[in-house]
Amino acid sequence: MTHEQHPAPELPRWAVIDHQAMLDVAIGQARLGLAEGGIPIGAALFHKDGRLLGQGHNRRLQENDPSVHGETDAFRKAGRQRRYQDTIMVTTLAPCWYCSGLIRQFRIMTVIVGESRTFRGGIDWLREHGIVVIDIGSVECERLLASFIERHPEVWNEDIGECEAHADGG
């Protein structure tokens, strides 16, 4: 008796998307942010079919606006989408609580994270709410941010809400 070889079923395009290629877009944004004098965190929002919808980077320093994180910048630049369940958020660093809230609020069901060793953010909370989080563990992402933190610890602590209280209570 012979065994017939059956071709593997063709996967939809979104099932074979290259996560590293997506992360490379976010890394490019992180490098752009650093070149502008900002915090090197980048992000991109993709459709699940691989189309880039928007990309951005942390511009808190450049714009003196505490709400411009990498994820929020990419989200805004993507413009209105009919549904966000069909999108993938890619970010060089685990999303903070603010950005995790955005991801949860708009039901972005997949998040690709460059690294979470430097900052864990809301990864566990996102997973508890059914969001697929893929942590690539990128050494490149970790080094990029670690070298910034080494040079500017006060800026990093401000970014993650860990500033010391001033003597005047503020």
Side-chain angles (χ1 to χ4, degrees), residues 39-153:
I39 301 165
I41 301 171
L45 188 67
F46 288 87
H47 188 273
K48 70 180 182 182
D49 69 8
R51 284 180 291 130
L52 177 63
L53 301 171
Q55 56 188 316
H57 53 276
N58 185 306
R59 293 183 291 120
R60 294 180 71 248
L61 299 175
Q62 299 92 311
E63 295 191 10
N64 196 30
D65 181 345
S67 70
V68 189
H69 291 206
E71 297 89 340
T72 60
D73 194 33
F75 182 79
R76 289 174 180 154
K77 288 180 177 168
R80 259 179 79 197
Q81 302 297 312
R82 184 166 167 83
R83 21 177 306 128
Y84 292 91
Q85 294 91 330
D86 297 330
T87 64
I88 300 168
M89 179 64 76
V90 182
T91 179
T92 57
L93 182 67
C96 68
W97 288 106
Y98 169 59
C99 295
S100 293
L102 176 139
I103 290 163
R104 176 102 165 81
Q105 170 72 31
F106 288 95
R107 296 187 183 108
I108 298 170
M109 299 308 292
T110 304
V111 179
I112 298 171
V113 173
E115 68 101 356
S116 63
R117 289 180 297 273
T118 304
F119 180 74
R120 186 93 183 141
I123 284 181
D124 297 326
W125 182 76
L126 289 170
R127 286 180 174 148
E128 288 168 10
H129 287 89
I131 295 165
V132 174
V133 179
I134 300 165
D135 188 343
I136 293 180
S138 166
V139 172
E140 181 179 7
C141 290
E142 187 173 2
R143 285 183 183 153
L144 187 62
L145 189 55
S147 96
F148 177 85
I149 293 170
E150 187 177 305
R151 290 188 319 275
H152 306 286

